[in-house]
Amino acid sequence: GTTVSANAKQLQQRLDYHFADDRLLVLALSHRSFSAANNERLEFLGDAIIELAAVSYIYQRFDEQNEKLMHRVKTNIVDRYALSKFAKILGMDKFLVLSKQAEDKNKRNDVKKLCDIFEAFMGALYEDANSYHKNRPRRVYFCFLLSLNLCEA
């Protein structure tokens, strides 16, 4: 199987979540410039997970507010810049695997790449939690809420 790098293990420790299937984490951290087996499908899934998590979080947190305000808050939370900030706060920029050419162009700090890795990580987290912990409640937004809490600190 795929061995998770020392950096990816550090990421798991930082988040206090250990993947049952390390291959999902490796895939989430692999940019398409590096490999044909990359994070794009997980990014697609993660985008939907983040949307659901944000709406759920806002609905619970702003229980006295109207839909218009909640929509505005959601737009700010799921914005590419906000998601890239979450990725940076969690240190995900250090773990993204890029081609040498992408590294030379400093793509590691690119807002879109940071947003993409956060979305891919969320997709991987969702798949891992749901595939290997079927008897536990679905942890759809564990990492997202953790990110929000870190950003509020």
Side-chain angles (χ1 to χ4, degrees), residues 6-7 10 15 22 31-32 34-35 39 43 52 58 64 70-71 79 83 98 100 121 133 135 139 141-143 145 153:
N7 283 347
Q10 288 175 7
L15 298 176
D22 291 346
H31 185 260
R32 72 176 180 205
F34 180 76
S35 173
N39 64 9
E43 180 187 328
L52 175 61
I58 292 162
E64 301 289 323
M70 292 189 302
H71 183 74
D79 173 78
L83 296 181
L98 298 164
K100 177 162 178 9
F121 184 81
H133 307 295
N135 295 327
R139 296 200 263 178
Y141 54 112
F142 166 79
C143 184
L145 290 180

Side-chain angles (χ1 to χ4, degrees), residues 110-126:
D110 182 80
V111 169
K112 181 170 177 359
K113 300 291 178 280
L114 291 170
C115 175
D116 293 350
I117 192 175
F118 185 79
E119 291 173 343
F121 184 81
M122 285 297 300
L125 182 67
Y126 177 81

Side-chain angles (χ1 to χ4, degrees), residues 135-148:
N135 295 327
R136 296 183 190 175
R138 287 186 163 214
R139 296 200 263 178
V140 174
Y141 54 112
F142 166 79
C143 184
F144 188 72
L145 290 180
L146 174 63
S147 299
L148 290 174

